[in-house]
Amino acid sequence: MDEQKIRLLDSQFAHFMAMRSELSGQEKEQFQNIVCRLSMGLAAGDSCLPVTDVEQDLIVRSGLSGVGAQPFYVFDKHLYMQRYFEHEQSLAKSIQALLTNSTELIAEASLFDDLFEKRDKAETDWQRVAAKRALQEKFLIVSGGPGTGKTTTVVKILALVLSASSNPLRIALAAPTGKAARRLQDSINNNVQTLMVSDSIKKSIPDTASTIHRLLGVKRYSPFFKHNVKNPLLYDLVVIDEASMVDLSLMDKLVSALRPGSRLILLGDKDQLASVESGTVLADMIEHLPGNTVELQRSYRFDEGIKRFAAAINSGDSAAAWALMSADSPDNVSLLEGDVAEYGGEMYCRYMDAVRGAASISDYKKLFQVFHSFKILCALRHGPAGVSGINGAVEEYLMQKGYDCFGADWYVGRPVIITRNEYTLDLYNGDMGISLPDPENPSSMKVWFERADGGLFGVFPGRIANCETVYALTIHKSQGTEIGEILVVLPEQESSLVTRELLYTAVTRARESVKVSSSRAVFECAVAGRIERHSGLGGRFAGN
């Protein structure tokens, strides 16, 4: 066991459990080692720990494994904490119910022709395939990289389902974060206007999206939600975007809360980072439920440069990816040769200039557009190349340029990111705001946030307990966003935390250009590294 990876929590938890086991001597030490490995794995995103036959026997004889109030459960040579086993079991059961109770809807062939462009017969229209599958199945995963048209496809699916249904349908749109929900909502609303369907169908497609937490109904100071298997959601169809970000626990609670007979559509990119918490739910379901998965393959968003760069990273071809950054073409994918703080500071000077000219709510809306046009994405939180170091360096650079930035103080224009859900304020982990005067009372400072409907709302700084400055943010926090220009900052030394999935996720946030600050050795190590998580969910779908 790598001692450097063992947290105090891991060792103390393992010791606590070993002392309460029915084992003694060397067997107690072996059991403590197993529990420590499980704890470490859970921190890394595993939902379980593979064990040998000998280890499984030892765990069973510990007296701490089994159904009911026992802390552990062993299943199919995997050791679980009881609650993660129950989440996997419950989720698999709920998905199985969706798979076995499918009812096909019939839509007019002419409507398919109106919604999907005609293509050469030799070319498969995967968006059309997904739409047909959605009418046949109550559970569908639409997978694909950024720009492949996942939300465009789901809008057309909604139109088809509505037209094929004999009764009015209640439809919910949701995503894991507020940012992702706003993006889903904007994309849905933009695409609805282009549909060649009746006005009545257009009006039946929801124009708002929420976070999954809000959809399920948050209970203050509780891990449970208002909607559950005993109090299900009232919707006939639920669409979840950015499903790769949804962890095992939340996905279980969501699917368990669906009312009998409802439909579920998940949208996501299996090659992006998995959820921060335990599980690889989307990837597991895509791998083991191919009959309920359609992968979109044509990209409509990226220009050729970013597309080729992302593809090289995703395929593990570090030489090709490095060559793209080093070449004169494409000019929107490049290696940053200079100082990160200087380059980032210069880019944020445009933002600070816009801050100086903003005086009304209308100006503030435009300011958010400027703010979202550029971001520094860091692989790590700490260190000179981490979020904390770069945020401080950028603020220092802006102060040297004459802008009023004073560290933790609430200066005009300070951008912040929420680091913990604030349910009473309707603010969620990852939401970003800007500190600006209240236009109706300029002597009063508020932190302004974007609403899902495109409006803004202000919160007094003193009410926000968990936030930090956000000129730079982690790549994890950038999930669910779309940014004009990005600067990706990798650490000075190789790290097992910097992986192919992390780099791919960062690069695919960009619409217009990508710069990378990294040595070649660190970059190649990142492209070679893969995230490997242990999960038993996929095995529960065997035979489907």
Side-chain angles (χ1 to χ4, degrees):
M1 203 183 319
D2 188 344
E3 296 293 337
Q4 293 182 337
K5 295 182 180 179
I6 301 176
R7 303 169 302 163
L8 181 61
L9 175 62
D10 300 324
S11 60
Q12 291 298 315
F13 173 70
H15 176 73
F16 177 84
M17 288 299 174
M19 294 303 293
R20 280 150 184 79
S21 73
E22 297 176 5
L23 303 172
S24 61
Q26 187 176 3
E27 286 191 331
K28 178 175 285 190
E29 292 181 11
Q30 292 171 346
F31 178 72
Q32 182 171 331
N33 182 283
I34 294 169
V35 174
C36 189
R37 283 160 45 206
L38 174 64
S39 180
M40 292 165 59
L42 293 176
D46 296 338
S47 58
C48 57
L49 174 72
V51 294
T52 65
D53 289 332
V54 173
E55 290 174 329
Q56 179 168 296
D57 177 67
L58 184 69
I59 295 163
V60 171
R61 289 191 291 108
S62 72
L64 297 178
S65 173
V67 295
Q70 299 292 4
F72 303 114
Y73 197 92
V74 180
F75 177 78
D76 193 25
K77 294 186 181 180
H78 286 80
L79 173 63
Y80 291 84
M81 292 296 295
Q82 186 77 235
R83 72 185 185 96
Y84 288 110
F85 174 77
E86 292 174 354
H87 281 314
E88 274 195 6
Q89 188 177 46
S90 172
L91 176 57
K93 182 179 178 181
S94 298
I95 294 295
Q96 191 65 47
L98 290 172
L99 299 179
T100 55
N101 294 309
S102 291
T103 303
E104 184 172 2
L105 298 173
I106 307 298
E108 295 182 9
S110 60
L111 185 55
F112 272 93
D113 294 333
D114 290 339
L115 292 173
F116 298 94
E117 63 183 42
K118 293 182 179 180
R119 293 189 184 178
D120 189 292
K121 291 184 178 180
E123 182 183 5
T124 301
D125 186 345
W126 291 106
Q127 293 190 3
R128 190 180 187 119
V129 170
K132 288 184 177 180
R133 197 75 59 80
L135 294 176
Q136 298 167 349
E137 306 288 347
K138 289 196 173 180
F139 176 60
L140 178 68
I141 301 170
V142 181
S143 177
T148 51
K150 294 186 290 294
T151 49
T152 300
T153 302
V154 86
V155 168
K156 296 175 182 179
I157 288 174
L158 296 180
L160 287 164
V161 171
L162 287 164
S163 69
S165 178
S166 57
N167 299 310
L169 295 180
R170 290 161 293 190
I171 300 171
L173 307 174
T177 67
K179 293 178 296 181
R182 280 190 289 273
R183 274 195 59 212
L184 173 62
Q185 176 177 294
D186 291 344
S187 182
I188 293 286
N189 290 336
N190 291 336
N191 280 285
V192 163
Q193 305 308 318
T194 65
L195 292 179
M196 296 179 64
V197 295
S198 66
D199 287 342
S200 62
I201 289 179
K202 287 183 179 180
K203 291 178 181 178
S204 298
I205 296 175
D207 58 4
T208 59
S210 72
T211 63
I212 297 174
H213 287 78
R214 170 169 276 193
L215 174 70
L216 293 176
V218 171
K219 289 183 176 180
R220 289 188 66 184
Y221 312 117
S222 170
F224 302 105
F225 295 98
K226 295 175 183 176
H227 291 287
N228 49 48
V229 67
K230 295 182 179 179
N231 180 33
L233 295 163
L234 299 177
Y235 297 101
D236 304 292
L237 171 59
V238 176
V239 177
I240 303 296
D241 196 14
E242 298 290 350
S244 65
M245 299 171 63
V246 184
D247 62 76
L248 174 62
S249 173
L250 184 57
M251 187 67 81
D252 175 35
K253 292 170 184 176
L254 168 67
V255 182
S256 296
L258 298 177
R259 73 173 185 81
S262 60
R263 290 175 128 83
L264 174 65
I265 298 176
L266 303 180
L267 311 177
D269 182 353
K270 63 180 175 58
D271 295 317
Q272 284 190 23
L273 284 168
S275 58
V276 174
E277 301 297 330
S278 294
T280 53
V281 179
L282 183 68
D284 286 342
M285 290 194 290
I286 288 174
E287 180 181 354
H288 292 89
L289 298 174
N292 296 79
T293 301
V294 176
E295 184 168 0
L296 307 182
Q297 299 173 19
R298 179 197 250 183
S299 179
Y300 298 87
R301 183 206 303 172
F302 291 143
D303 67 27
E304 195 61 26
I306 299 177
K307 182 179 178 180
R308 286 162 54 201
F309 188 48
I313 292 170
N314 199 30
S315 66
D317 192 343
S318 60
W322 187 265
L324 284 169
M325 290 192 295
S326 305
D328 293 333
S329 179
D331 58 5
N332 61 344
V333 176
S334 59
L335 191 65
L336 179 67
E337 302 290 351
D339 181 71
V340 169
E342 183 176 344
Y343 176 81
E346 278 299 316
M347 295 295 288
Y348 276 117
C349 282
R350 299 181 304 182
Y351 162 72
M352 294 304 292
D353 287 338
V355 168
R356 287 176 169 176
S360 65
I361 293 296
S362 177
D363 292 337
Y364 291 177
K365 290 181 180 179
K366 295 176 183 177
L367 180 62
F368 270 97
Q369 294 177 5
V370 177
F371 175 61
H372 292 317
S373 68
F374 170 74
K375 287 288 182 295
I376 303 173
L377 306 184
C378 301
L380 304 179
R381 280 192 53 80
H382 303 291
V387 167
S388 56
I390 290 176
N391 273 324
V394 169
E395 278 188 324
E396 181 67 28
Y397 183 89
L398 292 173
M399 281 191 283
Q400 292 176 2
K401 289 292 183 177
Y403 299 101
D404 296 328
C405 304
F406 301 104
D409 293 337
W410 289 100
Y411 56 83
V412 176
R414 181 192 175 197
V416 296
I417 186 168
I418 300 299
T419 57
R420 187 174 181 179
N421 293 340
E422 301 271 4
Y423 298 118
T424 57
L425 301 178
D426 196 23
L427 295 174
Y428 297 90
N429 191 355
D431 286 351
M432 285 184 272
I434 302 174
S435 174
L436 297 162
D438 185 345
E440 297 182 358
N441 183 14
S443 63
S444 175
M445 187 77 76
K446 286 187 176 180
V447 186
W448 297 87
F449 296 89
E450 296 173 293
R451 293 187 188 278
D453 61 6
L456 300 179
F457 69 98
V459 178
F460 288 111
R463 298 191 64 196
I464 302 175
N466 301 284
C467 71
E468 59 189 33
T469 302
V470 67
Y471 294 106
L473 69 156
T474 62
I475 296 169
H476 279 89
K477 291 281 189 182
S478 74
Q479 285 182 276
T481 62
E482 187 177 317
I483 306 162
E485 304 173 67
I486 64 168
L487 169 61
V488 182
V489 182
L490 302 186
E492 296 176 355
Q493 303 294 327
E494 297 175 8
S495 170
S496 60
L497 299 176
V498 185
T499 62
R500 183 184 307 176
E501 293 86 352
L502 190 79
L503 194 53
Y504 172 81
T505 299
V507 168
T508 53
R509 299 307 90 212
R511 288 192 311 270
E512 300 165 12
S513 73
V514 177
K515 282 188 180 293
V516 178
S517 174
S518 174
S519 68
R520 181 161 189 168
V522 169
F523 182 83
E524 290 181 343
C525 181
V527 175
R530 299 302 304 268
I531 294 176
E532 294 184 7
R533 288 186 173 182
H534 296 298
S535 165
L537 180 64
R540 298 174 189 268
F541 298 124
N544 287 292

